[in-house]
Amino acid sequence: MAAITSLSFSAITQSFEKKINFPSSARSVVSNYDAFRVRSIDSFSVKASNLNKGFVVHCMSTGSEPPPVSETKLKFLTAYKRPIPSIYNTVLQELIVQQHLMRYKKTYRYDAVFALGFVTVYDQLMDGYPSDEDKENIFQAYVNALNEDPQQYRSDAQKLEEWARTQSSATLVDFSSREGEIEGILKDIAERAGGNGSFSYSRFFAVGLFRLLELSKATEPTVLEKLCAALNINKKSVDRDLDVYRNLLSKLVQAKELLKEYVEREKKKQEERNEPKKSNEAVMKP
């Protein structure tokens, strides 16, 4: 669901004292993450070592030099210093590397649909995080590390969500014939994607489109095709990315449930181990 490189499942669980035996369905999170990556890095030459040895990305650009990935990661870690549970932290570290590459492509330009897609992906990935306050603080640190505005991400995503809830299948597709703030945003995207400006398609953008359809209850199979045509977006790319996104969410839900069961089992075992100790202490009391 997002621009994420290959993900080692053992890395996700490395902070646990005992290995969790996940079924093959949960382990396939790896392949889904591997598929959900940036498709092309036009202005970068990238070399990365194994994550266990440290991630180093070398960037070369014909224009101004972008900051290195290490700088973006350091900004994130400096802004949010509290420990992050491994299953979330591993995904976040992978995600920020790939979004860095998207962010500093020559063709990149922020837009509200991209923001909606990222906010949707982030909230889904972090669903069930122990603290809502920490989850939002991590979001702030993450977006700030990319030299972008987290408040703008949230604000634009909210505007698009509110707008989509008032739309129907017909009005969602027919945005170009109407006036309004969101209609203007979509028209600008369509113009740039049609070759009249800078536009870089990403999987976050695909998820943003999916969210618009979801909120407007546009369930007809033809609506996505018409919306992609109106925005000058390749529907095949969107279909492929949405399939990966759905599969990824399904596997993450399974993984989190298994981890939850594991933690509960370990807690119960610890309580059982403590029972004899409590009984002995009670007997020894005068």
Side-chain angles (χ1 to χ4, degrees):
M1 131 193 48
I4 303 178
T5 58
S6 58
L7 178 61
S8 168
F9 206 84
S10 62
I12 292 179
T13 59
Q14 65 186 354
S15 66
F16 292 91
E17 293 182 355
K18 296 184 179 180
K19 183 177 179 181
I20 305 171
N21 294 317
F22 289 99
S24 59
S25 61
R27 289 196 299 271
S28 64
V29 174
V30 177
S31 60
N32 281 317
Y33 270 141
D34 189 58
F36 212 46
R37 68 172 68 201
V38 177
R39 190 173 292 108
S40 62
I41 314 292
D42 296 335
S43 60
F44 294 106
S45 171
V46 180
K47 296 181 181 179
S49 63
N50 186 283
L51 282 176
N52 291 331
K53 300 177 182 178
F55 206 126
V56 180
V57 178
H58 304 283
C59 304
M60 293 185 296
S61 173
T62 56
S64 60
E65 287 288 333
V69 171
S70 58
E71 180 178 316
T72 297
K73 293 182 73 174
L74 180 60
K75 287 178 67 176
F76 170 68
L77 295 172
T78 301
Y80 189 83
K81 298 178 180 179
R82 298 188 63 183
I84 299 174
S86 183
I87 191 172
Y88 299 101
N89 188 48
T90 302
V91 175
L92 286 170
Q93 292 298 322
E94 294 279 355
L95 184 58
I96 200 169
V97 169
Q98 290 302 316
Q99 192 169 350
H100 171 100
L101 299 178
M102 279 191 288
R103 166 70 176 84
Y104 292 106
K105 285 179 67 174
K106 292 186 295 183
T107 54
Y108 173 79
R109 178 176 164 183
Y110 170 90
D111 66 62
V113 177
F114 174 93
L116 174 60
F118 173 75
V119 168
T120 300
V121 168
Y122 179 86
D123 288 345
Q124 291 280 4
L125 283 173
M126 300 295 283
D127 181 49
Y129 198 78
S131 166
D132 288 339
E133 181 180 358
D134 287 344
K135 181 170 70 173
E136 186 57 28
N137 289 337
I138 292 170
F139 178 86
Q140 299 276 333
Y142 181 105
V143 179
N144 279 324
L146 292 159
N147 291 321
E148 294 196 305
D149 184 356
Q151 298 302 328
Q152 183 180 23
Y153 269 72
R154 287 291 188 191
S155 176
D156 286 347
Q158 183 177 355
K159 286 179 183 178
L160 259 68
E161 288 178 341
E162 292 173 351
W163 176 83
R165 289 188 180 96
T166 67
Q167 304 304 305
S168 65
S169 299
T171 59
L172 183 66
V173 172
D174 193 33
F175 64 84
S176 61
S177 66
R178 305 196 314 277
E179 297 298 325
E181 181 182 6
I182 306 304
E183 287 82 358
I185 290 172
L186 297 178
K187 289 177 189 178
D188 177 66
I189 292 171
E191 183 177 352
R192 290 187 289 113
N196 296 324
S198 179
F199 179 80
S200 180
Y201 170 82
S202 73
R203 287 170 169 84
F204 287 137
F205 187 90
V207 175
L209 291 184
F210 175 78
R211 184 65 174 150
L212 291 178
L213 294 171
E214 183 181 42
L215 292 171
S216 62
K217 295 181 172 55
T219 58
E220 299 88 345
T222 59
V223 178
L224 178 58
E225 181 177 359
K226 292 178 181 178
L227 183 58
C228 287
L231 289 167
N232 296 312
I233 303 297
N234 187 321
K235 182 178 180 292
K236 290 183 178 179
S237 296
V238 173
D239 284 338
R240 178 174 60 247
D241 293 339
L242 291 180
D243 283 342
V244 174
Y245 172 66
R246 295 186 191 101
N247 289 335
L248 176 59
L249 290 181
S250 175
K251 303 308 178 186
L252 279 171
V253 168
Q254 294 177 41
K256 289 178 182 179
E257 284 299 317
L258 288 169
L259 285 170
K260 181 179 178 181
E261 291 174 6
Y262 167 80
V263 172
E264 289 176 349
R265 285 199 305 270
E266 289 302 302
K267 182 179 179 181
K268 184 176 180 180
K269 289 178 181 178
Q270 185 62 45
E271 290 174 349
E272 291 174 350
R273 286 193 291 266
N274 290 337
E275 281 302 319
K277 183 178 179 181
K278 291 180 180 178
S279 298
N280 291 337
E281 290 177 350
V283 170
M284 294 175 64
K285 288 182 178 179

